[in-house]
Amino acid sequence: MRRSALAALSAVLVSASGSVAALPGRAAEASNARANVSVSGLVTRLQQAFNAPDQNGLDALLAPDQQGLIGRRFRRFAADFPDARWSLKAGQPMADGRQTLSLAVSASRELEGQRFTLQASQQLALSVAGGRITGQEVLQEESVLSSASQPFPVSLLIPDAVLTGSRYDVDVVLEQPLGDAMLAGGLIGLTPEQVAAQQSPDIQLEPLGGGGLFKSVRAPYQPGSQTWAALVVHPEGVITVTKRVRVVSKKSELRL
């Protein structure tokens, strides 16, 4: 499959900054209570739109400037994975007033005689006005795309957030023992342009030790994000992993 597993998440609510001012005191509490009710209904409608067979209800839930790119990417993903099932859940509002949303998708596809299965998740911060999404920011994101004929447990030991300039581990652990079987794999950082265009990177494969892919990497010295794509080839099939890591300058920002 030529397209990166990141397409699963990029297909929905790609990163775009947007925020609303937090209100002080009890006014903020009342506003947040009303917003939670509104967002809960919006999330229900979003889940229905994502799981609908015609995919035509999404635009009504997005502000006009959000519709074009998001709609195209969602329909492109739905064409690749027509059996995808989406699960959405509203979270707690952030300190700046934005609402949070957790999203998960599972899907499968037959391609060139192989069956690919996808598991992906994302956490978003949403700006909402008039019952429509006016802006969104990706807070957490990861996906696993596998061609294994049988379920093959994989753990992503990759942090959601790191400090600027720090070193951290990017580990893809295969939990099923492979004995003396040979593994090959590779890891590459995706550019913002590759992420936006949903491009599949060319990953150079190297022999791996048993158990998976283990790398130590360094975060940029400026806040932002890093997106990693990893490929592991093993006797049971191929696993493609993508993970977005937030890069922050303060320890207080490591936790949402």
Side-chain angles (χ1 to χ4, degrees):
M1 178 169 292
R2 296 298 301 163
R3 187 167 304 167
S4 164
L6 186 63
L9 282 304
S10 297
V12 185
L13 306 177
V14 293
S15 177
S17 62
S19 62
V20 295
L23 300 176
R26 294 187 176 180
E29 295 176 3
S31 176
N32 283 338
R34 291 192 298 270
N36 284 338
V37 173
S38 175
V39 169
S40 178
L42 175 61
V43 169
T44 298
R45 296 194 298 274
L46 277 171
Q47 180 167 293
Q48 292 172 345
F50 290 154
N51 288 309
D54 56 12
Q55 295 102 37
N56 292 324
L58 184 59
D59 284 351
L61 305 176
L62 303 172
D65 64 346
Q66 301 286 307
Q67 293 174 1
L69 181 60
I70 294 174
R72 287 195 302 272
R73 288 184 170 179
F74 174 66
R75 291 179 179 89
R76 181 180 177 184
F77 172 74
D80 282 349
F81 293 95
D83 71 344
R85 300 303 301 172
W86 301 86
S87 176
L88 282 70
K89 182 178 180 181
Q92 296 298 314
M94 299 180 67
D96 60 11
R98 289 179 296 171
Q99 303 296 312
T100 58
L101 169 67
S102 296
L103 177 152
V105 60
S106 59
S108 64
R109 182 188 180 189
E110 295 283 347
L111 184 66
E112 298 178 355
Q114 287 186 300
R115 184 173 182 83
F116 291 85
T117 59
L118 173 70
Q119 298 289 332
S121 63
Q122 193 176 60
Q123 186 176 20
L124 307 167
L126 302 180
S127 298
V128 179
R132 289 187 173 190
I133 295 172
T134 59
Q136 61 281 325
E137 177 186 1
V138 178
L139 302 176
Q140 296 176 1
E141 179 178 80
E142 67 181 46
S143 62
V144 178
L145 182 69
S146 174
S147 68
S149 57
Q150 300 294 329
F152 202 88
V154 177
S155 293
L156 305 186
L157 304 184
I158 307 170
D160 293 321
V162 296
L163 290 173
T164 53
S166 64
R167 295 200 68 86
Y168 64 97
D169 294 330
V170 176
D171 297 339
V172 181
V173 181
L174 308 182
E175 298 180 4
Q176 179 174 315
L178 295 178
D180 296 329
M182 295 293 295
L183 297 177
L187 174 74
I188 191 172
L190 301 182
T191 67
E193 292 75 20
Q194 286 175 313
V195 173
Q198 299 177 260
Q199 294 179 0
S200 296
D202 292 326
I203 300 177
Q204 300 297 317
L205 299 179
E206 300 177 354
L208 301 177
L213 175 66
F214 306 91
K215 294 286 187 179
S216 178
V217 300
R218 184 175 296 279
Y221 288 95
Q222 296 296 324
S225 67
Q226 283 184 301
T227 300
W228 297 102
L231 178 66
V232 177
V233 180
H234 61 87
E236 298 297 325
V238 177
I239 296 174
T240 302
V241 170
T242 57
K243 172 75 177 188
R244 181 190 295 255
V245 179
R246 288 187 300 117
V247 181
V248 300
S249 58
K250 299 178 182 179
K251 289 185 177 180
S252 59
E253 298 173 323
L254 290 173
R255 300 183 65 180
L256 297 175

